[in-house]
Amino acid sequence: MVTKLQAHRVVIHIDFDYFFAQVEERERPAIKDKAVVVCVYSGRGEDSGAVSTANYIARKYGVKSGMPIVFAKKKLKNVEAVFLPVNHARYDMVSQEMMNMIRTYAYAFEQVGVDEAYLDVSKRVDGSYEKARHLATEIKKEIFAKEKITCSIGIGPNKLVAKIAAGRKKPNGLTVVRPEEVQQFVSDLPVRELMGVGRKTEKKLRELGIKTIGQLAACNIGRLVGVFGNTLGNYFHNASLGIDETPVEQRGRAKSISRIVTLKQNTRDPAVMLKEIKNLAEDVHSSILEQGLSFKSVSIVAVMDDLTTLSRSKTFQNPTESLEKVQRTAKELLELLLKRETDRSVRRVGIRMSDFFEEKGQKQLADFSGN
Ligand code: DGT
Ligand code: CA
Ligand code: CA
């Protein structure tokens, strides 16, 4: 029964390429041909902190996520390089717009983090991998046309295979793995490609003489259970065979909720923008309240006529539910944002609320928490 179910599923995994760095490139086309490194500065001294991500030019020189900024600077010392601080409000906004676009392609949609999503398109493509490939091409085209961001897509009979497939060709890749190709596809890959295999597990497996997923598949399940316990042992065994039955479903709660609109025409008139923001704020606010949440932060985002994105945020001392407070803050933030803008006009405006808190007595939220 399980195999029958698997044979009929078609799952797409989408992963945005070098996401934070690509968003920065989009904002500043002039840096596109340089090494771009997005950094989390610790605030303790000029170069203290770590690399969040880097574009593929910087990666060519060995720059990696998590690396100290000082190391990255050394690696890039003979290269034209740009170091930028992370700007989560900006990435979240772009991510949400992309996710909203992607979610319309299938009924079952699951966002994972800021830059990954699964779609179960089995019904939509009638179980056909050829149709799924066309659909994925369409998705890539639409995202690039509207957001100027490339992503890599994997297609497989389940989430596990689709995710591994998405990681095979980056950036801007598309990899299709049909059910009959799964075994062959995974067997030569290193075990670390499997979700849940970190450095420690990799080491333990190596001690058992297991480096590839194929070797893991050949290992006796009793032995795996002996070493890793029942749950993990069974998971590794199934995963090594490319078996994964977990459904595509939206989990957890969003970290932020935002809405953005394109103005009828570019403008510098705050009244015009505020009118739009007022509607967006009502929308976001009611969606937050519906989920039994209060919030602490409000941001305003403006996409200028040259497509740069500006944002201003405010975090309150205590969580609030007040729409009036949101409207007042939005007005202040917009004024602040426009104050320094003497030339450009605004093309799109948006609002974002984040830092959610659960209001007491909202029992149904228990279903969402803990993920
Ligand atoms: P790729 O390989 O083209 O998908 O590149 P990214 O940058 O999209 O990498 P991914 O998908 O692993 O991570 C998505 C974002 O998460 C990335 O743009 C920045 C952030 N991130 C990833 N790893 C780290 C890390 O070790 N430290 C910090 N601070 N941020 C990270
Ligand atoms: Ca990514
Ligand atoms: Ca990712």
Side-chain angles (χ1 to χ4, degrees):
M1 230 178 84
V2 167
T3 37
K4 202 168 167 196
L5 188 76
Q6 287 223 338
H8 286 93
R9 281 173 78 200
V10 186
V11 175
I12 290 183
H13 180 79
I14 306 181
D15 187 320
F16 309 161
D17 297 324
Y18 62 104
F19 185 52
F20 297 177
Q22 198 180 177
V23 173
E24 297 297 347
E25 280 182 2
R26 180 187 87 165
E27 304 290 312
R28 315 168 168 76
I31 66 175
K32 215 175 155 66
D33 300 321
K34 300 176 184 167
V36 177
V37 186
V38 178
C39 304
V40 181
Y41 290 98
S42 69
R44 279 185 255 154
E46 200 187 333
D47 284 342
S48 161
V51 171
S52 173
T53 193
N55 70 356
Y56 278 74
I57 299 177
R59 289 185 199 190
K60 224 172 50 195
Y61 293 91
V63 176
K64 288 197 177 105
S65 294
M67 172 183 278
I69 297 168
V70 191
F71 283 19
K73 288 214 161 153
K74 254 184 220 149
K75 292 201 181 280
L76 295 171
K77 80 173 173 278
N78 298 318
V79 185
E80 260 202 288
V82 185
F83 290 79
L84 300 165
V86 283
N87 184 338
H88 288 289
R90 177 181 284 165
Y91 315 141
D92 277 7
M93 197 57 79
V94 178
S95 164
Q96 286 214 18
E97 291 206 45
M98 291 172 71
M99 293 297 177
N100 286 342
M101 220 183 283
I102 293 166
R103 76 187 339 133
T104 63
Y105 280 87
Y107 181 69
F109 165 85
E110 178 177 335
Q111 178 175 345
V112 183
V114 71
D115 81 327
E116 283 173 37
Y118 293 98
L119 292 172
D120 188 325
V121 296
S122 315
K123 279 213 190 93
R124 169 146 192 185
V125 302
D126 243 344
S128 154
Y129 278 74
E130 214 31 59
K131 281 188 193 160
R133 178 192 286 277
H134 281 291
L135 186 65
T137 312
E138 244 177 72
I139 295 174
K140 275 154 84 71
K141 259 194 215 148
E142 191 194 355
I143 293 178
F144 192 75
K146 296 200 174 137
E147 294 293 333
K148 296 281 176 288
I149 295 282
T150 65
C151 54
S152 295
I153 295 188
I155 303 176
N158 56 48
K159 285 159 66 173
L160 176 106
V161 174
K163 179 169 165 79
I164 299 177
R168 292 320 293 163
K169 283 184 222 139
K170 274 187 174 194
N172 205 9
L174 172 57
T175 305
V176 182
V177 182
R178 292 160 190 268
E180 63 273 19
E181 298 165 336
V182 167
Q183 205 54 64
Q184 170 86 34
F185 171 72
V186 296
S187 72
D188 289 338
L189 299 175
V191 284
R192 96 178 78 84
E193 291 274 345
L194 294 176
M195 222 163 11
V197 179
R199 239 181 252 159
K200 264 199 219 151
T201 310
E202 198 183 359
K203 193 165 160 252
K204 265 198 202 166
L205 286 168
R206 206 179 313 128
E207 283 161 10
L208 297 173
I210 298 169
K211 283 190 194 150
T212 67
I213 298 179
Q215 288 165 341
L216 184 61
C219 181
N220 180 289
I221 181 166
R223 197 158 172 223
L224 291 176
V225 169
V227 177
F228 296 103
N230 221 339
T231 312
L232 213 54
N234 273 295
Y235 163 74
F236 285 150
H237 178 72
N238 284 329
S240 71
L241 298 170
I243 297 171
D244 170 24
E245 292 158 43
T246 54
V248 174
E249 59 189 351
Q250 187 60 40
R251 301 168 296 174
R253 184 207 305 153
K255 290 222 174 69
S256 69
I257 300 181
S258 50
R259 299 270 187 282
I260 190 161
V261 286
T262 303
L263 300 163
K264 287 201 186 70
Q265 53 204 40
N266 296 355
T267 182
R268 297 175 43 77
D269 181 355
V272 173
M273 291 178 239
L274 268 175
K275 203 171 135 238
E276 294 294 342
I277 289 174
K278 193 162 171 280
N279 290 331
L280 297 176
E282 275 170 19
D283 229 31
V284 176
H285 179 260
S286 69
S287 146
I288 291 173
L289 257 46
E290 258 167 41
Q291 298 178 51
L293 302 173
S294 58
F295 51 93
K296 259 174 84 172
S297 298
V298 175
S299 315
I300 284 295
V301 177
V303 180
M304 311 307 286
D305 50 17
D306 61 358
L307 293 184
T308 27
T309 314
L310 306 179
S311 66
R312 286 284 178 280
S313 306
K314 179 167 179 176
T315 299
F316 308 124
Q317 215 119 54
N318 298 303
T320 177
E321 290 178 32
S322 158
L323 178 61
E324 195 269 322
K325 202 162 171 180
V326 173
Q327 304 286 27
R328 194 162 12 103
T329 308
K331 186 164 181 279
E332 281 167 28
L333 292 173
L334 185 70
E335 281 161 4
L336 213 62
L337 187 146
L338 292 173
K339 213 151 100 187
R340 286 172 46 193
E341 276 306 315
T342 45
D343 302 325
R344 295 182 292 190
S345 60
V346 177
R347 180 185 158 88
R348 317 180 70 195
V349 284
I351 188 164
R352 168 180 183 258
M353 296 185 212
S354 56
D355 284 348
F356 297 140
F357 289 81
E358 255 168 60
E359 286 305 293
K360 288 190 195 82
Q362 293 279 342
K363 283 267 173 0
Q364 73 271 23
L365 272 166
D367 305 340
F368 290 93
S369 59
N371 279 310

